[in-house]
Structures are given as C-alpha cells and as structure tokens.
Amino acid sequence: MPFWNHQRIHLRQDSALGATDFGQGTAEYDEALWDTFVETDLWVSMLNGRADIVLGAKGSGKSAIYARLFKKGDELRRRGVVLVGAESLVDDPVFNNLPNLPSLTGRQFVGLWKLYFLTLVGDKLRTLQFKDARAIDVITQLEESQLLPKLGTEGLVELFQRVLRYVQFDLEVDVGVKTPALVPLPVQGDAQLKGKITLHEPSPDETQRGKVSIHHLLRSAGEVLERHKLTFWILVDRLDIAFPSVDEDLEAKALRALIQTYIDLRVTAYRLSIKLFLRDDVWERIIQKPGDAIPGANAVIYRTIRWHDQALISLLARRLIANKSICELYHLRANKVRDGYQLQQGLVSRVLPETVDTTQDGRSSIDWVLEALRDGSRHVAPREIVLLLIFAREIQLDRLGLRIAEYIGEELFEPATIIDAIRRVSEFRLFQTLCLEYPHLVMPLNQLRGSQAMLRLSDLTFLWRLTSNDASVVASAVARQLVSLGFFEKHEQEGEDVYEVAPLYRPALAARATRRP
C-alpha cells in the first residue's frame, strides 16, 4: 500500500474512533443500551409474561431486561399490565438493611416479603388514584400503620425501612424479646402499636379488635385490579448485593422465603405476578442449602440467560453501528446491519484484525476473542463484550496519539490493542468485581498468581498454604465456591479433582495456561 494511502486510512480510523461512544458496562448507566438491546427469546418470554424468574451470571443482562421492561411500560399498560419496581437500579440498594434484622424464621421472612409487596401495591393504587372502597381501605390500613406516609411520597428505600420496623415490632410482641433498633424513621408516636395489619391470620379475638391479615388486604387489592382489568407485575432485582458474602445461611433463608412468597402470591385473586432477577450462582446456593420446604416449587417458572456466540456477535455489531462515525468509515447503513446477521458478522470481521494471536489455529479473530472471554461455565457475559469495546477504544486512541499504531488493512483495532483490552477486562472482572464482592477470597486468589491454569486439589492446598488435618476439606470448599462463581472450571479425573482457571481470569493472574484460547 502506498505510504500516502496508508496515512489517509490511519487518519480516517483515528477520526472515526475519536467520535465513538460504546456505552457503559453496567445497565444502570448505559444510555447506549436501548439502541443496542438484543431481543432474545428470553426477553420475548418475559415481555409476554411466560417467565417469572430470570437467572444469569454477573453481567449477563438481568438488569438490562429489568430496565427494558420499564421502557416498555406504556405497551404493557395497553395490555392491562402495570409495572411496580421493588428496587431501583440507580438509587441505594433497597435491601441493604436485611442483614440487620434479628434472626428470623423462614415463615417470618415470608411475612416480611408479603408485607413489602402489599405496601408497594397500596402505594401504586394510591398513585393511580383509584376511588374504589376496597382500594381506599387498603391504602387507609397501610397509612394508619405508617407503612405508607399519609402525605407526599417516599423512595423505595424508605418504604422498605418502614416495613422492616413494622416486622421488627411484630416479632418483639410475638417472642417478647427486644431487638436492636433499625434505621429510625420520622414517624409520629409508636406507629407499630397502632398498626392493624398482621403477618399471620388473625384470631377471632384479633378480628374483633379490627386486625386484618396481609392476605385479606391483598385480596381486596385484587378485587380492585379485577374491576379495572389490570395485573401488577412486581419486579425485584439487585438481590445479590443484599447480603454479606460470608453470610450464606441468612441469604439462603431470605431468598428461599422470597421464592415461597412468589409461589404463594400466584393466586389468581391477587392479580399479582412477581418477577425475580437472580444470579445463577446465588440460585444454586439457596437451593442446595438446607432449609424449610418450599411447597409448590415444581410450579416455579424460570429461565436462565445464556448468550450464544451469534447473539454476542450481534451485540458487538450493534454497539459499533450505534456510532455514525463507524457507519461512515465502513460505508454502512445502520438499519440494514441491525436487521441482518450476515452483515453484523461481516462488520465484526472488518473491525477486528485478521489475526490476533499466533495461537488462533485457523480460528477467526472473533472466535478467538470469545474463547478468551469465557468464564468457568464456558459462557461469555455481554458486559465483557461492552467492556472490551470500551477498553479497546481507549488503548487504540492512545496508540494513535503516540503514532505507534500499525494498521495492516481496514481494521479498527490492532492485535496488540485487542490483547491489552482482554487483559483489562480480565483485571476488571477479577479485581473490581470478584475480589470486591467476596473479600474473603482475595488471599486465595492472590496466591494463584503466576500458577499453572490447571491445578489439582493438592496443588491448591500447597498454594494456599493449608497444613491442618482438614486442609483438603478447606481447599475443596474454597474451590467449589470459585467454581460456582465461574472462576474455575472443574474437571473430573480419576483419583483427584482438577480445577482449571477460566480463560477470562488468566490474563489478570498471568496464569500459565496449558490450554490457551
């Protein structure tokens, strides 16, 4: 290629990259999400009400579906569905105070969840300004119990704190034990003493004194919704950050109770549908922990997010064509690329270098990249794709600014850029996600730096410097958790289990792979 033509392409790529914005790695702050959202079969099932519980790994798109449903609020309302958020994606996590509760039984946790959902229902009925006698009764009962403020509105965090205080008082009366106070609320007098809502079915004597159960008020609300031909969908997200990483027993008890609540509230008369968004590793933990039986669990309708490679390529291409500068650089019409997978695949192959690494073994560059981003479950989360683009843009612009970029053809990113971007994604996932969420794993992870990617249980025991009589038991427990978190892939071998560091985490650890991507 003539020198002048090479320089001209160099400048065009520099200009195109400088004008791009690939969005954010988290759905809460990702403005590019709406134009690049991939409508998978799971999304269609959620939108049509055919799935209630969404399971997925960190970064797999649970919060994106949660947020996208609210974007479709008007369309759903025309179908008689009103969305009620039990959590906000941008405010403080609602459920942060759950670990501050006294030790609750599973039944008491069920009462807590039902009372919170009832409070949300009453708040929405009031917002919709229903004047039905039943609606007014529900709202009045909640206001008199100071579960709802009589004047003005409060955020979800404040509403949940009111529910926690109410439940706390109910337990004090029930067991006769004073519990530590939760976050105080600006309420007048002893709100709980005046409350008439019971977490249990009231006795005849309690009924005489005006006590009503949660279920009575839910049925009343259901009658209102029936008359107006409406159904409330209550969406619950961000449950994985509600509990300390070391308190798995509390987490299992609270979330098993939430699943039981979901089952109990599927009663037709309530006109409610609870939609839960849970990490798949959390789901595995709570169903494997001993606990109260969950009657009706066979009726649970759940789907697991699994992104196949074609969907990931489509996502990557959609992020690219959301930028006018890239469409102009490659002479593309965004709407045609958005609707055609072959065009999406073609764009990705043009943007990436023909070869990234000498270990490709005939694979395309996108196949090599996807292999490098797989976790221990052999899946790639869409968040990693978005982060790869964000980091690759930063790295490539730096190389262009330093005049060390060496383009061979029309690619947007050089091989060195892609390799460095994958390393940054790996470090982000390991240090800013895994280590921050599970601080008790920081030391074991650090002790794996520079090790082989394939490790026997005896290797782990040695690297983790475990010398007690139960060293192998401790090592096995830590390894199992790392498998559940997608850090390790477990291989069954005769005599001793073998654990392989997932490709996604190898660059951050500089693990010496025996089977490189």
Side-chain angles (χ1 to χ4, degrees):
M1 179 185 297
F3 175 78
W4 63 267
N5 195 34
H6 177 83
Q7 288 292 96
R8 181 174 62 82
I9 293 176
H10 179 125
L11 291 173
R12 287 177 57 204
Q13 289 156 322
D14 188 357
S15 176
L17 257 184
T20 57
D21 180 0
F22 295 126
Q24 298 291 323
T26 54
E28 297 93 317
Y29 309 104
D30 191 2
E31 292 297 325
L33 176 64
W34 316 122
D35 293 329
T36 61
F37 189 87
V38 179
E39 297 191 349
T40 61
D41 178 66
L42 187 150
W43 159 253
V44 174
S45 295
M46 285 295 297
L47 187 62
N48 292 332
R50 295 197 301 266
D52 296 329
I53 300 178
V54 175
L55 308 178
K58 184 83 172 180
S60 60
K62 300 182 299 299
S63 293
I65 295 174
Y66 181 99
R68 181 72 169 179
L69 283 170
F70 281 98
K71 281 285 185 179
K72 294 287 186 178
D74 291 341
E75 176 185 328
L76 288 166
R77 181 60 187 270
R78 289 192 291 271
R79 288 165 36 193
V81 173
V82 176
L83 299 181
V84 180
E87 175 63 278
S88 169
L89 294 185
V90 295
D91 294 331
D92 292 337
V94 169
F95 307 117
N96 267 1
N97 272 327
L98 268 177
N100 296 331
L101 277 174
S103 179
L104 303 186
T105 66
R107 180 184 63 82
Q108 290 163 340
F109 262 120
V110 170
L112 166 69
W113 290 118
K114 289 181 180 178
L115 187 59
Y116 179 50
F117 295 151
L118 172 63
T119 302
L120 294 177
V121 168
D123 189 45
K124 181 61 72 171
L125 290 176
R126 189 170 62 176
T127 301
L128 295 174
Q129 299 183 337
F130 288 144
K131 303 302 181 182
D132 311 57
R134 294 281 189 182
I136 293 172
D137 179 55
V138 172
I139 294 167
T140 300
Q141 293 280 7
L142 290 167
E143 287 178 345
E144 289 181 351
S145 299
Q146 295 202 21
L147 289 162
L148 283 179
K150 289 188 178 182
L151 298 175
T153 59
E154 289 185 337
L156 293 173
V157 172
E158 290 75 23
L159 289 181
F160 191 64
Q161 286 179 354
R162 287 176 177 269
V163 172
L164 287 177
R165 284 170 60 87
Y166 195 99
V167 170
Q168 182 184 31
F169 177 80
D170 185 85
L171 294 177
E172 289 172 2
V173 172
D174 188 34
V175 302
V177 176
K178 188 70 176 176
T179 56
L182 294 173
V183 178
L185 290 168
V187 295
Q188 297 297 319
D190 194 339
Q192 287 76 27
L193 286 175
K194 296 189 292 184
K196 294 182 178 180
I197 303 172
T198 62
L199 304 182
H200 55 274
E201 287 301 320
S203 65
D205 179 61
E206 287 176 320
T207 302
Q208 286 282 336
R209 290 187 281 114
K211 297 284 187 178
V212 294
S213 70
I214 295 172
H215 296 285
H216 171 81
L217 294 177
L218 285 170
R219 283 192 296 271
S220 294
E223 291 178 17
V224 176
L225 296 178
E226 176 65 33
R227 280 196 290 274
H228 291 271
K229 305 301 181 187
L230 294 176
T231 298
F232 282 0
W233 286 7
I234 300 178
L235 278 59
V236 190
D237 192 16
R238 300 175 85 185
L239 290 161
D240 55 302
I241 59 177
F243 305 93
S245 59
V246 294
D247 200 344
E248 294 183 2
D249 290 336
L250 174 64
E251 176 187 62
K253 188 186 297 183
L255 296 184
R256 285 172 72 90
L258 179 57
I259 295 168
Q260 184 64 66
T261 302
Y262 153 77
I263 295 169
D264 292 349
L265 296 186
R266 293 181 69 197
V267 177
T268 304
Y270 294 159
R271 306 281 297 192
L272 296 177
S273 181
I274 311 298
K275 308 292 184 182
L276 306 179
F277 297 79
L278 278 172
R279 284 242 300 266
D280 51 6
D281 61 293
V282 175
W283 174 265
E284 290 295 325
R285 284 203 301 272
I286 65 178
I287 63 175
Q288 291 175 7
K289 282 277 185 183
D292 297 336
I294 305 178
N298 61 325
V300 171
I301 304 173
Y302 71 90
R303 291 280 302 272
T304 300
I305 299 177
R306 289 285 184 259
W307 284 76
H308 53 75
D309 289 356
Q310 290 81 4
L312 293 165
I313 291 171
S314 179
L315 171 64
L316 200 160
R318 286 166 183 261
R319 291 276 167 164
L320 291 167
I321 61 171
N323 294 276
K324 183 179 178 181
S325 62
I326 289 182
C327 291
E328 291 176 347
L329 176 65
Y330 292 105
H331 306 292
L332 299 169
R333 291 173 58 185
N335 60 334
K336 291 190 68 175
V337 176
R338 189 177 294 110
D339 295 334
Y341 177 72
Q342 295 300 323
L343 292 175
Q344 294 170 1
Q345 195 175 32
L347 171 61
V348 170
S349 67
R350 295 172 72 183
V351 165
L352 294 178
E354 183 176 354
T355 301
V356 178
D357 188 89
T358 55
T359 63
Q360 282 186 220
D361 299 327
R363 288 175 292 174
S364 68
S365 290
I366 185 57
D367 287 343
W368 186 92
V369 166
L370 292 177
E371 182 63 25
L373 294 176
R374 295 195 193 282
D375 66 9
S377 66
R378 305 299 299 160
H379 292 99
V380 179
R383 180 174 297 175
E384 269 63 84
I385 294 295
V386 177
L387 287 174
L388 178 74
L389 281 174
I390 293 170
F391 291 141
R393 176 185 181 274
E394 295 173 0
I395 296 163
Q396 192 64 58
L397 285 174
D398 284 345
R399 291 178 63 83
L400 286 164
L402 294 170
R403 299 184 181 278
I404 58 174
E406 297 181 357
Y407 287 114
I408 297 174
E410 62 175 353
E411 72 274 9
L412 195 62
F413 303 114
E414 298 173 274
T417 295
I418 296 299
I419 291 171
D420 197 12
I422 285 174
R423 177 185 58 80
R424 290 198 195 180
V425 173
S426 178
E427 292 172 344
F428 184 92
R429 185 63 181 260
L430 180 62
F431 302 124
Q432 293 184 242
T433 302
L434 196 57
C435 287
L436 287 181
E437 290 188 10
Y438 299 90
H440 64 288
L441 294 175
V442 171
M443 185 175 292
L445 289 170
N446 279 332
Q447 289 168 331
L448 296 179
R449 287 177 179 273
S451 68
Q452 293 286 344
M454 300 283 280
L455 297 160
R456 297 181 178 86
L457 188 60
S458 56
D459 297 326
L460 295 175
T461 302
F462 173 76
L463 289 169
W464 290 336
R465 302 169 189 171
L466 301 173
T467 58
S468 62
N469 293 333
D470 61 348
S472 62
V473 175
V474 174
S476 181
V478 175
R480 282 198 305 272
Q481 184 173 18
L482 290 172
V483 169
S484 73
L485 294 173
F487 177 85
F488 275 150
E489 181 180 359
K490 183 179 179 181
H491 300 285
E492 301 289 345
Q493 291 192 8
E494 290 185 11
E496 192 173 15
D497 291 331
V498 174
Y499 298 90
E500 181 180 9
V501 177
L504 173 61
Y505 294 103
R506 291 178 200 167
L509 289 176
R512 301 190 301 276
T514 55
R515 186 183 69 201
R516 298 184 62 191

